[in-house]
Each structure stands twice: as C-alpha cells, then as structure tokens.
Amino acid sequence: MSNIKHNIEEVVGHTPILELDGLERKEQLDAHILVKLESLNPLGSLKDRIAVAMIDALERDTDIKPGDTIVEFSSGNTAIGLAAIAAKRGYKMIAYMVQATQERVKLLEAYGATIRDMSKDNGVLEAMSNLPEDGDSAQALVDLFKRRSEEEGINYYLTVQSSNEANRLVQYNTTGQEIIADVDQVDVLIAGVGSGGSITGVSDALREKFPNLEVVAFEPTDDDTESLVGVHSISQTPRAMFPQIILRKNKLPYDRIIKVNKEDAYRMSNKVAKTDGIFLGITAGAAMHVAATLAKQDEYKGKTFVMFGYDDVLKYLSSELVDKKYASEE
C-alpha cells in the first residue's frame, strides 16, 4: 500500500528526536542531550506547525477568503511558514521583518511574500510607542490594521503569533505529545521564549507526564541582542510587548532564565556539526550550549535534557555562524 502525500501540510510535524551521543562523549557528559529536529519540517523550522495552525484558525474564526492578505511580524521562520501555506491556499502575505538573514528574505520572496521594514512604518511605530505599561501590543496591531482595511479597501488578517492561542495549542497537541511518545523520561526542557507558543505549549504537555520537569529559558546577553538572531530577550522586554500567550497564564512557563552570548551559541552549533553530523541554527546552538553547561553540574548527572532544533544552518550561510573562527576547537 502506498504512503504518498498529496499536501505539504501532511508532512509537517512528527519530527525525530536525536540524542547527541558525539557531543556527550566529546564533553564527557553524564547526561542525555536530546534534540527534536524541527529543522526537518518541510519549510525548515519549528514554526511550520504554527503557520498551518494559525491559518486554520483564521479560516475557522474569520471570513478570510482567497486574495485577502495575512500579516505577521516575524524575524523569519514564522513568516516563511505563513508565506508558503498562504500561497498554497491563495492568500497574499505581508511580513514585517525585525531581524532576518539574507537567506530568510530570499525564501520569503520566493513564496511571494511582501517584505516590509517595521522600523520604516510610522503607523506601526506610533502604535507601539503609545502603548501604556499594561497595554497589549497584539491588540494595538490588530486595531491598526483594522483601520487600514477600512481606509485602503484591503482585507488584512493578522496572525500575531505572540498572542495567538493556536500557536500554543498546536505545540501542546503535536510537539509536546510527540516528545512524550518518544522519550521515557524528560527532566529538563530548554527553550527560548520568542512568541511564547512552544515553551508554553510543550511545557504544559510535558508537566502533565513529568511533574518534576524543570523548564530553563535562555536569552541573549545584553551585548548580543542584535547578533543572536532568533534568540529573544526576556528580562528586558516591556510588559506591553511581552507575549500575551505567557501573560494569560497564571504562572510563567519557565523556572529560570540563563543568558547566552553569541560566541558560545555559534561555537556549539559548529561543534555539534562535527560531533554529531548535524549543523543547526543559532537558537539551537544557544539551547545546546545551555544543556551542555548544566549537564556538567553534579545536580544534573544522569538527567535527560530536551530542546528544539529550531532550524538549520542553511538559513544562516550569510551570517557569522559559518565564520571559521567559530569552527575551531579552541
């Protein structure tokens, strides 16, 4: 019986988990370092899952129709996923970029997305700058584009990943459940915050199975907020700009935050390329660095760490990630 897929969306998810045996041997780690290879999704990242889920939610909850325009604010991966699925379903896509490599821009263009620089959109800047301390940036953007729809006669539909419950739910229902099915024990989940969907949805799922789970979030050091593309600041983000997915919860999804600098993240991605034969992106490098650092501490001996391989090196070939200085063993 054939097992042929006829829809790219059928290929999203069910990604494998790889134990970094080579890294464990190299670093002499008495722990299990597991990476869920979200880079093997068809559009190359963890965000493939939420792209499908958020467009499904638009089709379920709004009157969107082919020819209408989806808008998202993204450093790249979410926008790429949305652009591809939007094109397939007949929608237009506008991506407001914050940080993006050349490769991500090229991919967006290939999928037909319109790319806009958020820093040059006065309406967006005004909406964000006028937020009160307890304001909601997602709602401010929704209101702005509702007005633009009326003024311009274009039907804009915002997905706003940081506020979209479909983001959290798909991570709970798919990513989290896949980890539970594949791993007998998870002691530590290591994740970036970003839009809040993966760290919240997956931790919710894992805590139900592993009540003693520790969740460690990571963020860039103060000097690396621009260079660590995809690794988002947590502690310095104003409440009004913080992911609503997290603010709606009674408790933060993470137990503590660890800062990562770009040298450590870049070197770890390069190191794992040699020890285990897979070259992951910057955010995954940061996560793997945190795992290896913790695994050397006595209290984490024998523990099982799980993290996401958010994307791979192919989206960073124009960045410092592939600089030879980070590939050295020193």
Side-chain angles (χ1 to χ4, degrees):
M1 185 174 183
S2 65
N3 185 27
I4 298 170
K5 308 300 182 185
H6 295 275
N7 185 330
I8 190 66
E9 297 170 28
E10 297 178 56
V11 190
V12 174
H14 303 290
T15 55
I17 292 180
L18 175 69
E19 180 162 5
L20 301 181
D21 292 335
L23 179 67
E24 293 167 8
R25 288 193 296 270
K26 176 76 173 177
E27 299 293 311
Q28 298 182 320
L29 303 178
D30 181 11
H32 302 285
I33 310 298
L34 310 183
V35 180
K36 188 157 177 60
L37 296 179
E38 291 298 290
S39 56
L40 297 182
N41 276 305
L43 302 170
S45 85
L46 175 73
K47 301 295 190 172
D48 289 18
R49 298 175 187 264
I50 74 170
V52 175
M54 292 193 301
I55 292 180
D56 282 346
L58 283 179
E59 293 179 343
R60 182 183 64 245
D61 301 333
T62 74
D63 58 357
I64 192 172
K65 61 186 181 301
D68 289 340
T69 301
I70 294 172
V71 179
E72 180 58 89
F73 293 75
S74 166
S75 61
N77 281 329
T78 300
I80 290 167
L82 285 170
I85 303 304
K88 172 182 170 295
R89 298 195 191 183
Y91 306 120
K92 298 175 183 177
M93 170 74 192
I94 296 176
Y96 278 84
M97 308 301 285
V98 180
Q99 291 173 295
T101 61
Q102 294 176 19
E103 291 79 12
R104 293 182 182 193
V105 171
K106 294 292 186 183
L107 282 169
L108 281 166
E109 291 173 342
Y111 286 119
T114 298
I115 301 170
R116 292 183 180 168
D117 185 343
M118 190 175 78
S119 67
K120 296 180 180 178
D121 187 313
N122 292 331
V124 171
L125 294 177
E126 183 178 354
M128 294 297 96
S129 62
N130 290 335
L131 283 171
E133 184 176 346
D134 59 349
D136 180 346
S137 60
Q139 189 59 52
L141 292 171
V142 169
D143 292 343
L144 170 64
F145 278 87
K146 182 178 180 180
R147 292 194 299 272
R148 288 185 174 179
S149 291
E150 296 169 353
E151 294 166 359
E152 300 173 15
I154 298 174
N155 295 323
Y156 293 116
Y157 292 85
L158 272 67
T159 42
V160 197
Q161 58 178 322
S162 63
S163 180
N164 198 319
E165 187 64 8
N167 180 356
R168 184 192 71 82
L169 285 174
V170 73
Q171 299 292 0
Y172 174 89
N173 289 324
T174 67
T175 320
Q177 304 308 322
E178 290 168 24
I179 293 171
I180 290 170
D182 289 345
V183 184
D184 292 333
Q185 176 64 37
V186 180
D187 298 300
V188 185
L189 173 68
I190 298 176
V193 170
S195 67
S198 57
I199 193 170
T200 304
V202 173
S203 67
D204 284 348
L206 295 187
R207 288 188 198 278
E208 292 176 0
K209 178 69 174 180
F210 311 110
N212 295 322
L213 178 76
E214 179 183 6
V215 180
V216 178
F218 56 86
E219 67 173 358
T221 60
D222 295 343
D223 295 333
D224 291 310
T225 54
E226 296 298 323
S227 55
L228 277 173
V229 177
V231 183
H232 300 270
S233 177
I234 306 169
S235 56
Q236 294 185 358
T237 300
R239 180 178 175 84
M241 303 292 289
F242 205 74
Q244 288 292 319
I245 289 174
I246 292 178
L247 292 179
R248 285 196 292 262
K249 303 280 289 184
N250 293 326
K251 182 181 178 183
L252 290 172
Y254 46 85
D255 298 297
R256 62 166 163 153
I257 302 169
I258 292 179
K259 288 185 177 291
V260 181
N261 64 50
K262 74 173 185 179
E263 285 80 9
D264 288 334
Y266 292 176
R267 287 194 188 282
M268 183 55 75
S269 285
N270 279 271
K271 180 180 291 187
V272 171
K274 296 183 181 68
T275 61
D276 292 272
I278 185 160
F279 201 157
L280 295 170
I282 295 171
T283 313
M288 294 185 296
H289 169 74
V290 171
T293 300
L294 292 178
K296 293 176 182 177
Q297 300 175 14
D298 288 343
E299 60 264 42
Y300 289 101
K301 286 186 177 179
K303 300 292 186 180
T304 296
F305 296 80
V306 171
M307 66 219 66
F308 308 115
Y310 295 88
D311 56 14
D312 66 21
V313 71
L314 295 179
K315 292 176 180 173
Y316 303 93
L317 294 176
S318 63
S319 77
E320 279 191 285
L321 179 62
V322 295
D323 193 303
K324 289 182 180 179
K325 66 183 178 182
Y326 296 114
S328 69
E329 294 296 323
E330 298 179 5

